[in-house]
Each structure stands twice: as C-alpha cells, then as structure tokens.
Amino acid sequence: MAQTLPAPQQLAPRRLSTLDRWLPAWIGAAMLAGLALGRFVPSLADGLAQLEVGGISLPIGLGLLVMMYPVLAKVRYDRVSAVTGDTRLLVSSLVLNWILGPALMFALAWVFLPDLPEYRTGLIIVGLARCIAMVVIWNDLACGDREAAAVLVAINSVFQVVAFSLLGWFYLSVLPGWLGLDTQGLDVSVGQIALNVLVFLGVPLAAGFASRAIGERTRGRDWYESRFVPRIGPWALYGLLFTIVLLFALQGDAVTRNPLDVARIALPLLVYFAVMWALGLATGKALALGYARSTTLAFTAAGNNFELAIAVAIGTFGATSGQALAGVVGPLIEVPVLVGLVYVSLWAARRWFATDPYATPAPQEVRP
C-alpha cells in the first residue's frame, strides 16, 4: 500500500540563548583581550610557540576541540545518509570550495596586492585551505543543517589532504607562469595536512559520534537531547572565545605595529568572505535546497581553515614572514565578518526563504 505523510505538525519555537544573543559583544571583548595580551605581554607569544607539536599549537588545538565537540555531539548521525544522497548539495559544495573559492582568492590577491608578493602569497594560501573547524559554530548559530555541515566538512577534509599541495603548486607556480606573473613555491607535505585534519576534525568528530552512540544506548534519545546536549552546548562558545583570545594574542604586536598592512590585507578578505557566502546562499536558493541547507552551503563555502593556512605559511616562509602575517589576518577578519553574516542569514531566512529559522518541525512518522 502506498505510504503517505501526515500534515506537518505544530512548529516548536527555538530561540537564541542569552549567551548566543550577546555573541558579538563576547567576541569583540575576546579580540580586544587577545590584542592587549599580545601587545603588552610579548612573552606570552613565545610561551605559546613553545607549546607546539608537529607545527600545531596545543593550546589553540585544545580550544578548537572544546569548540567543535558540542556541535558535533548534537549531530544526528542516523540522518547523515539523507544528506549524502543530495547530489545537488554535494556537487555545488565541491564546485564552490575547490574551484570557485581558490580562483576567487587568487584573483583578489593579484587585484588588491600586486606590489606585495608576500602578502599576496599568504592570501592565496588562505584561499586554498577550506574550512573544517569553526564553520560548525557559524552554521549552528545561523540554524543551518547540522548533519549537512558534518558531511560537507568531512568531504572538505578528504579533499584537503588530496588537493591542497596540488592546488598550491598550480596557483603559486603554474597559473602565474601562464599569465606572465611572478611565481612562488609552496613546500608542504601531505602528512602535515593529514595531521591537521586529524586533530581539528577527526578527534572531535569521533568524540561527538561516540557521545551520541553511548548516550542514546544507555540513557535514551530523550535524555540525550533534553539533558546532555543543553549541558555541553555553551562549551562551544567558551572554546571559540578562548581560541580567539589566543589567536589575537599571538599576532597582537604585529597587527598593532602594521595597521596599514593589515588594512590592505583585510580588504580582499572582506570581499572574498562576502562574495563566497552570497554565492553559496544564492546557489542553495536556486537549487531549492531550503534555508537550512542553503545557509550551510554558504558558510562552508565562505569559511577557511586558518589553522592549516598559518601552519603552512610559517613552515614554508617563516614565522616573521609576510605570508604568515597574511595568514593570521585571515581569522582576524573572518571571525567578525562571519558573525555578522550569521545575522544576515537569519534575516534572509524570513526575507528570501519565507521561513522561521528558529522553528523546528516535529518529527514526522510514515504511516502505511
């Protein structure tokens, strides 16, 4: 007998908590605190630099793990198969992240920084490092599809390992040579990239999956969703704020001593984040993906893996190089811009998608 779905049930409202509503203020305070620490406590940067293993800063790694775990623990992994079957979402994400994104950053770097090769190269490296970490926070705050975000982040991770070095060679050596422009080299191992992906995605993803599997098996889904998830939820923002303080502290002195250089690097980054986000949202709208998946597509396209970009720039060109400074400016601009785009997304949900982003449909059962 044919199966029919019942009429949609009453929508249950879901609102931002006080912590989430004041997010811009918390982030602004964290940025200022980090800049002040970097400027007035210069020994802090040296201390953090000593706490590195394989080019990965342990304190920053800890902050990122604390930030990502709660969001990945919220993912309903039994729904992931519905995302992997959406070829429109997957193909559009791959095109945006691995074709349009690097090409756009290459063009912007040459348009805005034709006379500053070090900063230009640093920006191109940022464009090659697709986001696998902080995007889960922006997606969650904008009420995007958590399961879709987990799948797209996993796909980006695989492509990161396979394609980063190849694309770096193409955009820094081959394409500039074809166009008669200056060329730069990029020496980064697949092992370094794989380690970055393992630490910043593999560990929190495994922990999140294990938490849900064990929690639901021992206490049930109702307890997990109503008791466990609300308890760990705020730690995502605590981890985010801790990470921001450390990132700004590491380069606070360089940023405050070179404000004009930072401004020149910031301009193409602002254009990049806005254009990639808009392309992602418009693509989702055109493909009729709905608000949740469209905003997930937008944020996964706009975000970048600044941890990898900074590590590669420092490892290849040195910690005091212009390439490293450009890599560090990336998250300094990305964080406030993408926070702003969270609010633009929530506005667009009602304006362009005619939906309430905070309304969660009650589960629907299939009846014979």
Side-chain angles (χ1 to χ4, degrees):
M1 182 179 295
Q3 294 179 326
T4 58
L5 289 174
Q9 300 181 21
Q10 188 80 23
L11 293 181
R14 176 165 62 93
R15 300 293 173 185
L16 282 176
S17 66
T18 301
L19 182 64
D20 290 342
R21 283 199 300 270
W22 287 92
L23 179 64
W26 308 140
I27 287 182
M31 293 165 63
L32 291 175
L35 287 174
L37 284 172
R39 188 72 175 89
F40 299 110
V41 188
S43 60
L44 177 64
D46 295 333
L48 290 174
Q50 294 176 1
L51 297 174
E52 288 188 359
V53 176
I56 295 176
S57 170
L58 294 182
I60 291 177
L62 176 63
L64 288 166
L65 295 179
V66 172
M67 176 190 76
M68 292 182 65
Y69 165 69
V71 179
L72 293 173
K74 295 177 184 178
V75 172
R76 293 190 175 182
Y77 293 93
D78 55 348
R79 296 182 179 177
V80 167
S81 59
V83 178
T84 57
D86 190 341
T87 55
R88 297 171 303 167
L89 175 67
L90 299 183
V91 172
S92 57
S93 178
L94 289 174
V95 171
L96 285 167
N97 275 285
W98 297 101
I99 298 178
L100 294 182
L104 176 62
M105 187 68 89
F106 174 85
L108 291 173
W110 275 98
V111 168
F112 286 95
L113 302 171
D115 57 328
L116 298 172
E118 291 190 358
Y119 296 154
R120 185 177 65 236
T121 299
L123 281 184
I124 293 173
I125 294 173
V126 170
L128 299 177
R130 312 313 302 166
C131 195
I132 64 169
M134 204 171 282
V135 68
V136 296
I137 292 288
W138 314 134
N139 179 74
D140 210 49
L141 291 172
C143 302
D145 188 319
R146 288 175 185 147
E147 288 71 37
V151 170
L152 297 184
V153 163
I155 290 175
N156 276 345
S157 301
V158 173
F159 270 79
Q160 199 107 259
V161 174
V162 174
F164 186 91
S165 297
L166 179 62
L167 288 175
W169 168 73
F170 177 76
Y171 280 104
L172 293 175
S173 297
V174 177
L175 184 57
W178 289 350
L179 300 175
L181 305 172
D182 295 336
T183 61
Q184 294 280 332
L186 181 62
D187 181 19
V188 55
S189 69
V190 172
Q192 171 71 29
I193 301 168
L195 178 63
N196 190 277
V197 171
L198 175 64
V199 171
F200 296 121
L201 176 65
V203 173
L205 182 60
F209 180 84
S211 294
R212 179 170 285 277
I214 295 172
E216 290 189 357
R217 184 180 302 117
T218 58
R219 303 293 295 274
R221 174 163 290 188
D222 288 342
W223 173 87
Y224 188 87
E225 296 284 354
S226 63
R227 301 291 297 276
F228 182 74
V229 167
R231 287 180 182 176
I232 64 171
W235 283 94
L237 294 184
Y238 300 154
L240 171 65
L241 297 176
F242 176 75
T243 303
I244 290 172
V245 169
L246 291 183
L247 284 172
F248 277 65
L250 281 171
Q251 291 291 331
D253 184 65
V255 169
T256 54
R257 289 183 183 277
N258 302 283
L260 294 180
D261 289 349
V262 171
R264 289 200 62 181
I265 298 169
L267 187 55
L269 285 168
L270 286 170
V271 176
Y272 173 84
F273 294 134
V275 170
M276 290 301 297
W277 179 88
L279 284 174
L281 197 70
T283 299
K285 174 70 172 176
L287 296 176
L289 296 179
Y291 170 74
R293 290 192 177 179
S294 294
T295 200
T296 297
L297 183 63
F299 279 103
T300 52
N304 290 87
N305 184 358
F306 57 82
E307 306 90 2
L308 176 60
I310 293 172
V312 169
I314 291 175
T316 304
F317 302 102
T320 60
S321 65
Q323 291 90 339
L325 178 60
V328 169
V329 172
L332 307 192
I333 305 303
E334 178 178 341
V335 169
V337 169
L338 293 191
V339 168
L341 289 175
V342 166
Y343 290 91
V344 177
S345 292
L346 297 174
W347 171 85
R350 298 181 175 89
R351 181 82 175 188
W352 294 344
F353 293 85
T355 187
D356 180 358
Y358 297 121
T360 304
Q364 297 180 354
E365 297 181 356
V366 179
R367 297 190 301 201

